[in-house]
Amino acid sequence: MWVRVARALRALRRAALLLPLALTALALLLLPRPPPLAPSPRSPSAPAPLREEPHVQVQQNVITEPDYVAGHEDESTHLPWFMRGGDRRPAQHEPEAKLFPEDAPGDDRVVQQLMYTLPKNEKVPIKKILLANGFGAWGVAAGRTEFVRNKCPVDRCTLSADTRDAATADAILYKDHHTPFNVKRPLTQIWILYYLECPYHTASLRPSSVDVFNWTSTYRRDSDIVAPYERWVYYDALVTEKDLDRNYAANKTKKVAWFVSNCHARNRRLQYARQLSKHIQVDIYGACGSHHCPRTDPNCLEMLDRDYKFYLAFENSNCRDYVTEKFFVNGLQHNVLPIVMGAQASEYAAVAPHNSYVHVEEFASPEELASYLKRLDEDDNLYNSYFKWKGTGEFINTYFFCRVCAMVHANERRQRSAHYGDVQAWWRDGACTRAEWRTTQRDTRDNG
Ligand SMILES: *[C@@H]1O[C@H](CO)[C@@H](O)[C@H](O)[C@H]1NC(C)=O
Ligand SMILES: *[C@@H]1O[C@H](CO)[C@@H](O)[C@H](O)[C@H]1NC(C)=O
């Protein structure tokens, strides 16, 4: 009897020990895909004239691309795989997909790249991508993990950081710098130059390196593989606003906030903020102002939600398409209206949710901006009109390496060949200005 009880107890204990394991295994089986381990390499957005780019794009896809409409009863309720809860994956290979800059000038093609897949019935060889700066620079592991873990629609790639692969890799990704490997370059090998920062904050390449790159990957929308800081996608391209269920002005007692540490930005944003503060309350937090709130304290950003009506999302440089997390995260992801300075107004319009910000260059002077802000401060309806985009979409993970893999395969299928004759000129000429955009002539723009 006791023996039996003891045995039963042992069995129970064993079961209890195994249960978490079993549950983990089950969870692994059931989970659609693990969340990204590290923030994916931030990517920029596309540079196009005044239009709601994600819109137009997605809409076209819904209407014209057979793999988007075929099959299911209620396709419209299925979000694409790269959105939260999404399960819609590309159904078939589209040889004409708009993946490369020349396919869709002015468009970042991020969604099309994520929805590209290879023919199902072909045996596709694995492409080797060499990371010239090592794995640490990217937060990824060797091999196919990155592609398989993320369930990339095109996952026939492997990552290497072994310099002995330089002669055989299908593509080499260089981050910020270019140090050539001492081996003969195969004709089909694709060299990619990646920049995270804007031209003022990237080092110049050696003259011998300016004409060796096939592709670029930067936040610029005319890069081959656009890597935006954040990418907004609507759930439904036709629905860009919603009725509000709250008053975003409620309980706010303060006007303009700004968190800033670099007081000597090239675009003279501090001078602008000081001018603005002559006409409306501007609380400057950090080294350049009199208010203090440590960066690491989450209450600082909560303060934006609770107390402030406006936030100065001023970039440190006025460069083409240069829109960073200062806008997307500090601004848009809080309940505060971002006032923006950095890229041109039309470039913000192309990447921001509909009616979600105010651009300083919409106003002739800081004083005029201040009077508009005062008007918004007094008119809750007008103020709230800038928050109707909330809940109509989300900032997606742009799965950078999924797209690199898709592009390397697509390039070969198309027998496409491309190269930058002078990648430094492409990156720098006319890209930035120390003045306002509206007073800047092309030929006087800053070369860095
Ligand atoms: C404003 O304050 C009131 C009272 O503290 C609170 O009930 C309400 O939720 C607040 N509104 C917002 C939008 O935070
Ligand atoms: C890559 O660029 C080189 C010149 O730098 C060129 O010779 C080669 O054909 C290009 N390859 C592809 C695949 O575009």
Side-chain angles (χ1 to χ4, degrees), residues 38-86:
S40 59
R42 296 175 291 168
S43 43
S45 309
L50 287 159
R51 66 205 181 91
E52 246 72 64
E53 169 269 327
H55 256 218
V56 177
Q57 236 17 69
V58 177
Q59 187 184 337
Q60 267 177 5
N61 287 342
V62 170
I63 294 169
T64 61
E65 297 206 359
D67 55 333
Y68 282 38
V69 281
H72 302 293
E73 324 76 66
D74 195 3
E75 203 62 34
S76 63
T77 63
H78 284 263
L79 292 172
W81 68 276
F82 50 83
M83 296 182 87
R84 267 186 284 282

Side-chain angles (χ1 to χ4, degrees), residues 295-314:
R295 256 166 206 264
T296 46
D297 184 348
N299 291 324
C300 297
L301 289 172
E302 273 169 31
M303 207 166 58
L304 289 182
D305 292 315
R306 202 179 51 227
D307 299 333
Y308 285 97
K309 288 240 171 104
F310 310 103
Y311 179 70
L312 299 186
F314 286 4

Side-chain angles (χ1 to χ4, degrees), residues 185 187-188 190 211-212 214 411 416-419:
R185 173 185 187 177
L187 275 178
T188 54
I190 298 162
D211 66 348
V212 300
N214 300 97
N411 193 72
R416 179 180 177 273
S417 160
H419 107 279

Side-chain angles (χ1 to χ4, degrees), residues 351-397:
V351 300
H354 181 62
N355 209 26
S356 61
Y357 63 92
V358 171
H359 195 291
V360 294
E361 291 199 27
E362 291 162 29
F363 301 89
S365 63
E367 183 173 4
E368 283 192 20
L369 171 60
S371 31
Y372 184 65
L373 299 185
K374 280 187 259 185
R375 204 181 130 202
L376 289 176
D377 186 39
E378 285 156 13
D379 182 343
D380 285 0
N381 276 336
L382 190 56
Y383 180 76
N384 276 299
S385 69
Y386 286 96
F387 294 88
K388 291 184 170 175
W389 61 274
K390 292 218 176 206
T392 61
E394 67 189 41
F395 295 98
I396 62 164
N397 182 334

